[in-house]
Amino acid sequence: MQALMNYKYYDSPEGEDCFQKMFYMSKHAAYFGLGIAATDVLLLSHPKGYVQTAGRFVHYMGPFTAMAAAFAATTCIATSLRGKDDRLNYVIGAASSAAIFGAWKNSLSGGLHAFLLFGVVAFMKKKSIEEGWEFFPTVKKQKNFLNSLEYDFSSLKDKYK
């Protein structure tokens, strides 16, 4: 179980370890859905009671988790069936996620718009992997002045004696 929790999406090649990839994507989508649901409950919908609150959480977390799992599963299956690891597999995975989004919103046009958005993002993400640049760059953390252990104030000590 610990190995599954520490797994990253690109630890194995595309088309392999489909369950681990689905779990990884679903886990992060559930966290995202949790944040969106909490925001909705606290700021927008204000449900009354535990059942309505739980319903709002399920309303957001369920589809986001399903979209992520569908993307990972479809991408993995497409890679295995086609025998190629290219950008089209990611676009096919984005189509499956967009279909779930359209069903969730009960809107064909919403699903088509989601497909355009998800497809472009998935295409660019795979392109970034193939070409070696970061699509979602890591954020550099700024040093905190309150953490004084990281700084040497010895030059100030001599000045103010």
Side-chain angles (χ1 to χ4, degrees), residues 78-157:
T79 304
S80 298
L81 290 177
R82 294 182 65 235
K84 294 187 213 175
D85 181 19
D86 61 358
R87 300 172 198 151
L88 181 61
N89 298 331
Y90 273 45
V91 174
I92 293 169
S96 67
S97 295
I100 293 173
F101 180 83
W104 175 41
K105 293 298 183 179
N106 199 20
S107 168
L108 178 62
S109 66
L112 291 174
H113 288 102
F115 171 64
L116 290 174
L117 177 67
F118 295 168
V120 168
V121 170
F123 182 87
M124 294 304 292
K125 175 62 179 170
K126 184 63 177 178
K127 184 174 177 155
S128 74
I129 293 165
E130 291 173 350
E131 295 178 358
W133 50 274
E134 288 187 66
F135 186 69
F136 296 112
T138 55
V139 178
K140 294 181 181 179
K141 293 187 179 182
Q142 186 176 359
K143 289 189 176 181
N144 189 357
F145 182 72
L146 299 175
N147 189 359
S148 62
L149 297 176
E150 294 180 11
Y151 299 97
D152 180 22
F153 293 107
S154 59
S155 62
L156 296 177
K157 292 178 185 175

